[in-house]
Amino acid sequence: MSLVVVGSMAFDAIETPFGKSDKIIGGAATYIAYSASNFTKPIKQISVVGGDFPQAELDALASRGVQLEGVQIKKDEKSFFWSGRYHMDMNTRDTLETQLNVLENFTPVVPESYQDCEFLMLGNLVPAVQRSVIQQMKKRPKLVVMDTMNFWMEIALDDLKDVLTMVDVLMVNDSEARELSHEYSLVKAANKILTMGPKYLIIKKGEHGALLFHENHVFFAPALPLEDVFDPTGAGDTFAGGFIGHLAKTKDISFDNMKTAIIMGSAMASFCVEKFGTQRLTEITKREIDERLEEFVELVNFDIDLV
Amino acid sequence: MSLVVVGSMAFDAIETPFGKSDKIIGGAATYIAYSASNFTKPIKQISVVGGDFPQAELDALASRGVQLEGVQIKKDEKSFFWSGRYHMDMNTRDTLETQLNVLENFTPVVPESYQDCEFLMLGNLVPAVQRSVIQQMKKRPKLVVMDTMNFWMEIALDDLKDVLTMVDVLMVNDSEARELSHEYSLVKAANKILTMGPKYLIIKKGEHGALLFHENHVFFAPALPLEDVFDPTGAGDTFAGGFIGHLAKTKDISFDNMKTAIIMGSAMASFCVEKFGTQRLTEITKREIDERLEEFVELVNFDIDLV
């Protein structure tokens, strides 16, 4: 059994009201792998980088159980680069620059050794690339989870809708859920999206937590109230990594276990935002994760006697 | 023992993306009383209305256990009137018109029969009026809860800060907490406000739920995800009514019981927004409240094995 993760591995340059980073390591699949590696091994990565991507970073991932056979290295090209600036509320940001580079003509190839995939995490990427990975799997994975973003709704909606019919769980943020469904109410948006393919829908609301919808059930996980959100970059991917990592570890894809997985994802995301980029994720210990999970239990625990 | 409620009883005219109301019954103390009356009786009301306030409305409140000896009726004057228009997100609104009328020179008088007050709910009102009620109490109530709004921070900040030193629990929304503390982070805002007098702080975030801060503890209650928010007017007051109503009923002012009280408040608020004004609050049954409480338990309940 294994977890396969698809997504970008890239460079970011980030400005927040609290500071400015150099060109640092980023990319959806990088965050997902760092986060998930706290729960399960191996993680079989599918991505593409340029010759400029540091070997030391690949080694660091490998040392955490991330297999890189599916990561193409295009020596003469440059890695994907994104730079952006966050506003004070940290929920909105401006993209300053996007260089697609190696992502422009990315054709993923699923290695034979990845064919035992039980859990497939499709990080945010061109929908056609996500579909290609699903189609290369000889046996359908037990669970396919897909992240995406508004950008693809605007330029590749037909492909995106096609991929939706192939996945079990969709993860989007609140504005993306509204855009995809043309509904303002998140409950109505969820009901509509659940007719488009996925059986489970996670709506991420940043500092306002996350909702999980399935049939007529809904579960809400808060975000941990933090003194400072230093850099929200990658928080959604880190959430995804904790979610799929917990499911892959426990091999239980019930609704109840997905609730727990969402709390795991929320806990991981609460670390991610404490420092620039992936830095905090490279440092956390099992003990710190457990302490944070206890904070989540404290945060929402209440007693009601229904008489 | 008793619960005393101070606040406006008024008329509102409301426009939302879904419709427009006539001039209907509103006012903080009206919503609080309707909501709290589901938990405790009597409720001893302190307010002021004009000769235009319908006797039928006063009778309806009285029939629910709301005592009106402290409600001044100024026959030759008009009741407070507010009209406003909500935007699509229902979290922002424009005030179209405010007529202070009887509120302009309101001097509250606490009747002798209210002196057994154990729970005092200061609905949003001029801070000096809130203070006057506290000062007229011969014996300090067991718990004083205060609601306020940004308007008073702008025109009566010194009075507001003075009242803060006299209360146990402050309720504000997120933007008010930021304005009062000059901190953007709600955790930092809470830490600062808890040095200004109140031992407990509730930050209401509308559809994003509510936070309760006390010393170094924090509790989060979600809002119930709703298909439609028809009219949010009075939701905060209804929340306050459920909160203080539960505390007055149980006479337990521990942090743990305040958590439960916040869930009660959130459940009541989820009814309030389903119809214009107080209408939905006049209809709900004990059974409906219990069903909604079960939905809250479902919504946030999860299992984590910390190993």
Side-chain angles (χ1 to χ4, degrees), chain A residues 154-170:
Chain A
E154 283 141 31
I155 71 160
L157 184 60
D158 288 345
D159 281 350
L160 174 59
K161 285 189 169 172
D162 191 36
V163 186
L164 282 179
T165 66
M166 305 173 181
V167 307
D168 303 299
V169 183
L170 175 69

Side-chain angles (χ1 to χ4, degrees), chain A residues 89 185 220 227 260 299 303, chain B residues 89 184-185 220 227 260 299 303:
Chain A
D89 71 0
S185 151
F220 175 82
E227 286 229 356
T260 308
L299 182 64
D303 287 318
Chain B
D89 72 0
Y184 189 84
S185 151
F220 175 83
E227 287 230 355
T260 308
L299 183 65
D303 287 320

Side-chain angles (χ1 to χ4, degrees), chain A residues 7-72:
Chain A
S8 57
M9 295 174 67
F11 290 113
D12 291 337
I14 301 156
E15 288 179 38
T16 77
F18 304 111
K20 196 173 164 175
S21 78
D22 296 326
K23 196 166 155 183
I24 56 174
I25 296 296
T30 314
Y31 282 101
I32 293 169
Y34 268 119
S35 180
S37 69
N38 289 285
F39 300 90
T40 189
K41 290 179 179 43
I43 293 164
K44 301 185 175 180
Q45 197 87 336
I46 296 177
S47 191
V48 60
V49 296
D52 54 353
F53 200 81
Q55 185 61 44
E57 185 64 24
L58 297 173
D59 294 344
L61 285 164
S63 75
R64 301 172 73 97
V66 182
Q67 296 183 2
L68 302 166
E69 193 184 342
V71 178
Q72 301 170 27

